[in-house]
Amino acid sequence: MTLAGKTAIVTGSNSGIGLGVAHELARAGADVVINSFTDRDEDHALAAEIAAKHGVRVRYIAADMSDGDACRKLIAAAGDCDILVNNAGIQYVAGIDEFPVDKWNAILAINLSSAFHTTAVALPLMRAKGWGRVVNIASAHGLTASPYKSAYVAAKHGVVGLSKVTALETAGQGITCNAVCPGYVLTPLVEAQIPDQMKKHGMDRETVIKEVMLDRQPSRQFATTAQIGGTVAFLCSAAADQITGTTISVDGGWTAM
Ligand code: NAD
């Protein structure tokens, strides 16, 4: 239980990668705050479920990561923050000349600016203890581009840049900041796209995954949420004390191409 006694806050964690990260940090012994913008019974039940599974304290705190003040209040409401995982993110796909301005603004706010706001409030708490971890969930799209994803690619490149600056401003203070760059991860969101893709391309599940969805991922295998969570847990371990200001790709070779 390497992270016993630490409090971790994971933004956007009532599903997908964030939920996988929450489980792995709880498995490593951290108390965890999970978050999304909803405030439903099932969100709080999810926190209770993670707590019961791993024997740690888990709370659900609702906060909308598109709102800078709400981002800052999330950290304040948690009361403590040794580990901050900025994971909340959305996607929208359209050409630049047709990209809706509200979608651009929302993607920049949720995928990039939220990490600035949460980090700003979390760093003083970490400095007071002389220990901290900031892990930003970027993407292979933080290192490479694809057409029709202007806002997402811009935001994720921004997250990588913000991670480097955070690392420089905290170097030598017991605090590290890194960006994890997943390739295609099998989340409920991605799983839901498979039937449509099968229909569109007239392919079976295996073929559409390998030939269409994972055409840029040389392993032709999805990464899993547990693998992303495990990478975050590693970055929170003592072995990673001198890993800061860098990116770790979990992308089956995507960015080696
Ligand atoms: P997901 O849709 O399953 O999870 C996104 C999470 O963010 C959800 O919990 C959602 O409730 C939350 N969220 C959305 N808007 C929010 C808001 N305004 N305030 C608070 N929470 C909000 O998607 P995912 O695939 O798990 O994505 C998680 C992160 O991983 C994102 O930053 C995404 O860009 C990144 N990522 C995903 C993949 C992939 O293949 N799935 C690959 C690379 C990077």
Side-chain angles (χ1 to χ4, degrees):
M1 287 292 202
T2 51
L3 299 179
K6 308 289 191 200
T7 298
I9 302 175
V10 186
T11 71
S13 45
N14 65 353
S15 81
I17 291 173
L19 182 57
V21 170
H23 270 289
E24 293 311 312
L25 294 178
R27 191 190 310 283
D31 292 330
V32 180
V33 172
I34 60 171
N35 150 267
S36 185
F37 57 91
T38 50
D39 199 0
R40 307 164 299 185
D41 288 348
E42 63 201 80
D43 295 319
H44 296 275
L46 187 59
E49 189 186 310
I50 303 168
K53 183 165 182 191
H54 302 290
V56 294
R57 184 175 183 223
V58 182
R59 288 172 288 159
Y60 178 87
I61 302 180
D64 184 348
M65 294 297 103
S66 69
D67 171 349
D69 284 342
C71 295
R72 289 169 184 264
K73 281 183 189 148
L74 168 66
I75 308 301
D80 209 354
C81 183
D82 304 294
I83 296 164
L84 171 63
V85 183
N86 289 304
N87 168 79
I90 59 168
Q91 174 66 284
Y92 191 84
V93 180
I96 292 173
D97 49 342
E98 290 166 354
F99 211 93
V101 173
D102 63 330
K103 296 289 183 200
W104 171 275
N105 288 336
I107 290 178
L108 268 289
I110 296 168
N111 297 23
L112 174 59
S113 299
S114 68
F116 158 69
H117 292 293
T118 55
T119 302
V121 181
L123 287 185
L125 301 173
M126 294 177 182
R127 286 197 177 104
K129 292 187 183 174
W131 194 94
R133 293 286 191 265
V134 181
V135 183
N136 294 323
I137 306 301
S139 167
H141 282 116
L143 303 168
T144 63
S146 295
Y148 313 115
K149 295 185 177 175
S150 55
Y152 189 83
V153 170
K156 293 300 186 180
H157 276 68
V159 166
V160 171
L162 175 65
S163 305
K164 292 178 184 177
V165 175
T166 305
L168 293 179
E169 292 188 10
T170 55
Q173 298 171 14
I175 301 167
T176 67
C177 177
N178 295 286
V180 173
C181 296
Y184 235 127
V185 183
L186 190 55
T187 61
L189 205 79
V190 173
E191 180 68 52
Q193 294 168 19
I194 297 174
D196 274 356
Q197 292 289 330
M198 286 167 63
K199 215 161 146 188
K200 186 172 163 199
H201 295 277
M203 293 173 174
D204 62 24
R205 182 183 162 90
E206 279 307 297
T207 313
V208 90
I209 288 173
K210 286 204 163 89
E211 303 300 326
V212 178
M213 301 183 78
L214 295 177
D215 64 333
R216 292 182 72 180
Q217 200 144 307
S219 66
R220 304 286 190 201
Q221 292 163 342
F222 287 114
T224 65
T225 60
Q227 289 163 354
I228 307 302
T231 304
V232 173
F234 162 69
L235 286 170
C236 295
S237 73
D241 275 353
Q242 290 302 318
I243 300 176
T244 194
T246 194
T247 57
I248 296 191
S249 293
V250 187
D251 67 2
W254 178 330
T255 45
M257 299 261 277

